[in-house]
Amino acid sequence: MSTGDLLSIEPLELKFPFELKKQISCSLQLSNKTDNYVAFKVKTTNPKKYCVRPNTGIVLPRSTCDVIVTMQAQKDAPTDMQCKDKFLLQSVKANDGAIAKDINAEMFNKEAGHVVEECKLRVLYVSPPQPPSPVPEGSEEGSSPRGSISENGNASRALSDKLDFQDKSAEAKALISKLTDEKNSALQQNNKLRQELELLRREGNKNRGGGVSFLFVIIVGLLGLILGYLMKRT
């Protein structure tokens, strides 16, 4: 942490977990140790490589301000992970009630008699965090028994969930097969009923036709008897 009269700056080293083709950011915290308004400006030796937001600003009395420094995605890895880039943070007392728009280059001109504090910041590349390595099966020397119990419990729950899923899957398949059989049986019964109804309809038509012929014979016979009776009387 810097111990200037105006601002405390933390950290003094910008550490970037370097990864190829990926933007990486880190932050600075500026703390105003005074009862005055303090203006600041951030410069770098490689402005095309870094983006600083905000690169100028006002820190209110007894308050803090965060500055985000973003390194653009890099295509090539640096030799030995070394970086020669530098940052310079300048701070100066500002008028009460000043805002960011009031900041100008003349405020940081030492030749004009302004008291300007400067703090140089280094850039360091660090290795990105590695994912945790998988724990080998079986107990190892020095391993925690509680951890083994927890792992066994997780494995048992996973196996139980898998068996439950298989049981439910088998039940679902059996239910689908049963419903399919019932559907086919219902279709067969429906076709059979249709055939029987068709047979009954045809037989009914035949019976109605036979009844009419028999009735016609009876009527003709009765007429013959009546005519015979009349002829005998005459």
Side-chain angles (χ1 to χ4, degrees):
M1 176 185 295
S2 170
T3 56
D5 294 333
L6 298 177
L7 296 178
S8 294
I9 304 169
E10 186 177 7
L12 295 178
E13 294 178 337
L14 297 175
K15 296 182 179 180
F16 293 94
F18 187 86
E19 293 184 60
L20 288 176
K21 300 179 181 180
K22 183 177 180 180
Q23 280 191 349
I24 308 164
S25 298
C26 64
S27 63
L28 290 171
Q29 187 176 73
L30 312 181
S31 300
N32 187 347
K33 303 190 296 182
T34 72
D35 295 324
N36 302 310
Y37 284 67
V38 175
F40 71 88
K41 177 190 288 187
V42 181
K43 297 180 178 180
T44 179
T45 58
N46 198 341
K48 293 183 179 180
K49 185 177 178 181
Y50 300 95
C51 176
V52 182
R53 291 291 181 271
N55 61 344
T56 60
I58 297 290
V59 186
L60 301 181
R62 305 294 176 182
S63 63
T64 62
C65 176
D66 290 328
V67 176
I68 305 300
V69 181
T70 301
M71 182 177 67
Q72 303 302 321
Q74 301 298 301
K75 297 180 180 180
D76 301 315
T79 305
D80 299 328
M81 294 292 286
Q82 298 297 319
C83 182
K84 297 180 180 180
D85 299 332
K86 298 287 191 299
F87 282 82
L88 178 67
L89 193 146
Q90 296 176 307
S91 57
V92 64
K93 181 181 175 181
N95 295 328
D96 291 345
I99 59 175
K101 293 182 179 180
D102 298 328
I103 299 174
N104 54 65
E106 184 64 23
M107 296 174 63
F108 301 93
N109 187 357
K110 295 180 181 180
E111 296 179 357
H114 298 290
V115 179
V116 181
E117 288 188 358
E118 295 182 342
C119 178
K120 294 181 179 180
L121 308 173
R122 297 173 56 200
V123 176
L124 296 178
Y125 293 151
V126 297
S127 299
Q130 299 296 327
S133 58
V135 178
E137 296 183 359
S139 60
E140 295 182 351
E141 185 177 354
S143 62
S144 171
R146 182 177 298 176
S148 300
I149 293 173
S150 176
E151 291 173 2
N152 292 335
N154 291 336
S156 298
R157 284 195 297 271
L159 179 60
S160 177
D161 293 341
K162 183 177 181 181
L163 292 175
D164 291 340
F165 176 79
Q166 291 178 348
D167 291 341
K168 291 179 180 179
S169 178
E171 292 176 0
K173 290 180 179 178
L175 179 60
I176 292 172
S177 178
K178 182 179 179 181
L179 292 174
T180 302
D181 293 339
E182 291 179 355
K183 178 183 176 181
N184 293 334
S185 177
L187 290 173
Q188 292 176 358
Q189 292 181 359
N190 187 30
N191 292 333
K192 185 176 181 181
L193 288 173
R194 286 184 178 181
Q195 293 174 358
E196 292 178 355
L197 288 173
E198 183 66 18
L199 287 174
L200 290 174
R201 186 179 64 81
R202 291 178 179 178
E203 289 177 1
N205 290 336
K206 290 180 179 180
N207 291 335
R208 284 196 297 272
V212 171
S213 300
F214 182 70
L215 181 60
F216 180 76
V217 171
I218 293 174
I219 292 172
V220 171
L222 289 174
L223 290 174
L225 291 174
I226 293 170
L227 288 172
Y229 175 72
L230 293 174
M231 291 177 69
K232 285 181 179 182
R233 288 186 63 181
T234 57

